[in-house]
Amino acid sequence: MLGNFIYSNPTKLYFGEDSLKFLKDELPGYGKNVMLIYGGGSIKKNGIYDKVVEILAKGGKTVFEDPGVMPNPTVKKLYEGCKIAKENNVDLILAVGGGSVCDYAKAVSVSAYCEEDPWDKYYLRMEDVDNKIIPVGCVLTMVGTGSEMNGGAVITNHEQKLKIGHVFGDNVFPKFSILDPTYTYTLPEYQMVAGFYDIMNHITEQYFSGEDDNTSDYIMEGLMKSLIHSSRIAIKNPKDYEARSNIMWTATWALNTLVAMGKSTDWMVHMLGQSVGAYTDATHGMTLAAVSLPYYRYIMPYGLAKFKRFAINVWNVEQSGKTDEQIASEGLNAMEAWMKEIGLVMNISDLGATEDMIEGIAKGTFVTEGGYKVLTHDEIVNILKSSL
Ligand code: NZQ
Ligand code: ZN
């Protein structure tokens, strides 16, 4: 382990079947006004909305609703949420939904009292919060992003064709999150598997970086093995509690900052995927799946030792009689086979991207420097073309 770090994760988790009952214990810690944020209506269909509203009423809270948070929440919606939060003197923001709802809740929490345009301040200029932050709690219904236990808040600006994530500090992390794996049973299969790949890619983004011997890499190998194993069970039986609960827990650990401690990280697949998302509004996990293999195959020679280790430790690739390149390639082939097996989208053209968008998507791709190869614009264009 090479890096020094300070580690703090203040989010309190309530995990397991029926864990929503603990919401009532959290409520007395906050004032009367609760802003209830949710998405396009799935929580009304599956009954979670009714249960939450009942607990809030019994807790004596006045509820201000902000429904309709879309997948990939927009800056336009953010302005609406800020207005509701500020006008009603909201004491707690309760997000009930997936990563989009949780991210949006965090964005509102830091933006409601921001005196400038929050898009400019937090997303274009990447500044820290220096105004009042409204506390956030989450009831998670979709697994993948890790938003339930981190400071990430990704917002899309369709006019500017940018999708940007700001990773805020632990003062913005949810104060508490409620994780009931059975709440994910009603997810459509497309969303479920997109979430699986989001988890996988959060791990590989942090794994494929650095050459030091690092405990986090061993933890990540375990997380990846658990995910691969449980994903195969969940595909066959989405109501397998053991598999869905393991996946939910893996997702949280994949991106609650722990495995990034003391090591460098990459995040280039997310930068490519987010720019594809800005043009297509496609499902986050699918955008990652569609660009991953062209990217990883391109950078493999620059980080060969780690790709070889990935093949052996995660995919059990047999080593005898093979070169390092062959072993490393077989690891990526095994990942590709698993991705196809669980039904991921493997090309950006299937997500609505076209050849004429490539230049714009490449321009909107932020270049990170923690991976095995810092990409040039032309390299990004080539990777995107290979992803079509
Ligand atoms: O809106 P509703 O009706 O609730 O439907 C949602 C939505 O259509 C549906 N859904 C969620 N829970 C459900 C359900 N449908 C049936 N039953 C349930 N239990 O699923 C759809 C997708 O939901 P969404 O919240 O958009 O998915 P996800 O959790 O993947 O979040 C994606 C957003 O998170 C950002 C992404 O960029 C994207 O904007 N990310 C946030 C990160 C973070 N905070 O650290 C990191 C990630 O890399 C990611 O970038
Ligand atoms: Zn992600």
Side-chain angles (χ1 to χ4, degrees):
M1 179 123 71
L2 293 179
N4 298 349
F5 59 87
I6 298 172
Y7 179 69
S8 159
N9 194 320
T11 305
K12 182 170 181 178
L13 294 182
Y14 296 95
F15 191 98
E17 197 161 0
D18 290 329
S19 48
L20 184 64
K21 65 176 184 246
F22 295 109
L23 176 59
K24 75 167 183 342
D25 302 337
E26 284 292 332
L27 295 180
Y30 304 92
K32 210 172 155 39
N33 296 340
V34 176
M35 180 167 170
L36 176 61
I37 294 182
Y38 54 96
S42 69
I43 65 162
K44 290 204 168 162
K45 281 193 210 118
N46 58 25
I48 299 171
Y49 171 86
D50 290 337
K51 290 183 194 162
V52 169
V53 165
E54 193 187 333
I55 296 169
L56 292 173
K58 279 192 181 148
K61 302 296 180 188
T62 306
V63 177
F64 301 94
E65 295 203 11
D66 183 8
V69 178
M70 59 294 283
N72 312 317
T74 62
V75 68
K76 215 167 143 223
K77 177 75 184 157
L78 173 62
Y79 299 142
E80 274 172 42
C82 291
K83 202 160 170 270
I84 299 172
K86 206 172 167 188
E87 280 178 5
N88 298 295
N89 266 318
V90 164
D91 300 300
L92 170 69
I93 296 175
L94 187 64
V96 185
S100 294
V101 174
C102 298
D103 275 23
Y104 170 80
K106 284 180 259 178
V108 171
S109 104
V110 296
S111 303
Y113 293 95
C114 177
E115 299 200 337
E116 301 162 67
D117 181 342
W119 173 256
D120 289 351
K121 181 178 168 77
Y122 299 129
Y123 293 92
L124 294 182
R125 300 204 306 272
M126 280 291 164
E127 289 174 16
D128 282 340
V129 200
D130 51 11
N131 50 255
K132 179 177 162 180
I133 299 169
I134 306 169
V136 171
C138 300
V139 178
L140 195 67
T141 66
M142 150 90 199
V143 166
T145 64
S147 188
E148 65 276 12
M149 205 181 191
N150 70 33
V154 184
I155 295 293
T156 300
N157 185 322
H158 287 299
E159 285 69 41
Q160 296 180 13
K161 292 240 180 292
L162 290 171
K163 179 177 183 183
I164 303 178
H166 188 127
V167 181
F168 292 96
D170 65 4
N171 51 348
V172 182
F173 284 30
K175 299 291 173 224
F176 62 89
S177 284
I178 294 171
L179 278 65
D180 182 339
T182 66
Y183 284 7
T184 67
Y185 288 173
T186 54
L187 270 171
E189 185 169 314
Y190 187 86
Q191 292 296 338
M192 177 181 80
V193 298
F196 293 171
Y197 193 70
D198 195 18
I199 304 168
M200 184 67 170
N201 191 248
H202 291 159
I203 303 172
T204 52
E205 296 272 32
Q206 298 169 94
Y207 184 81
F208 288 122
S209 178
E211 269 134 33
D212 50 326
D213 184 40
N214 196 306
T215 302
S216 291
D217 288 330
Y218 297 89
I219 297 174
M220 286 191 271
E221 286 165 358
L223 291 174
M224 286 189 272
K225 285 174 123 166
S226 172
L227 172 68
I228 295 159
H229 174 74
S230 295
S231 66
R232 289 182 163 137
I233 298 169
I235 285 286
K236 289 202 187 85
N237 177 14
K239 293 202 171 154
D240 186 304
Y241 182 83
E242 195 172 47
R244 297 304 288 271
S245 61
N246 281 327
I247 293 167
M248 195 173 215
W249 194 218
T250 301
T252 302
W253 285 99
L255 199 52
N256 71 356
T257 74
L258 178 95
V259 298
M261 293 298 128
K263 83 182 294 287
S264 56
T265 56
D266 181 2
W267 295 108
M268 205 52 225
V269 171
H270 269 66
M271 297 305 109
L272 289 158
Q274 280 177 201
S275 195
V276 170
Y279 277 74
T280 60
D281 208 24
T283 298
H284 171 66
M286 296 305 188
T287 64
L288 306 175
V291 298
S292 276
L293 285 158
Y295 173 68
Y296 285 131
R297 289 194 168 118
Y298 182 70
I299 64 157
M300 195 188 86
Y302 303 94
L304 191 60
K306 198 57 159 292
F307 280 93
K308 180 183 171 192
R309 177 176 161 171
F310 175 69
I312 297 164
N313 291 357
V314 179
W315 298 102
N316 304 317
V317 169
E318 189 50 57
Q319 296 179 67
S320 59
K322 295 174 192 160
T323 63
D324 289 354
E325 284 81 1
Q326 279 170 331
I327 297 166
S329 291
E330 284 186 28
L332 289 178
N333 293 346
M335 182 167 82
E336 182 175 18
W338 169 73
M339 291 168 75
K340 288 181 174 160
E341 179 188 331
I342 63 171
L344 292 165
V345 177
M346 304 298 283
N347 298 291
I348 59 173
S349 50
D350 292 335
L351 298 171
T354 48
E355 179 101 46
D356 58 307
M357 290 179 189
I358 296 292
E359 195 56 39
I361 296 174
K363 274 204 191 111
T365 302
F366 293 85
V367 179
T368 59
E369 299 194 344
Y372 291 120
K373 169 87 180 70
V374 179
L375 298 182
T376 63
H377 176 79
D378 290 349
E379 288 170 326
I380 292 175
V381 167
N382 288 339
I383 289 165
L384 289 168
K385 282 189 176 159
S386 315
S387 307
L388 271 170

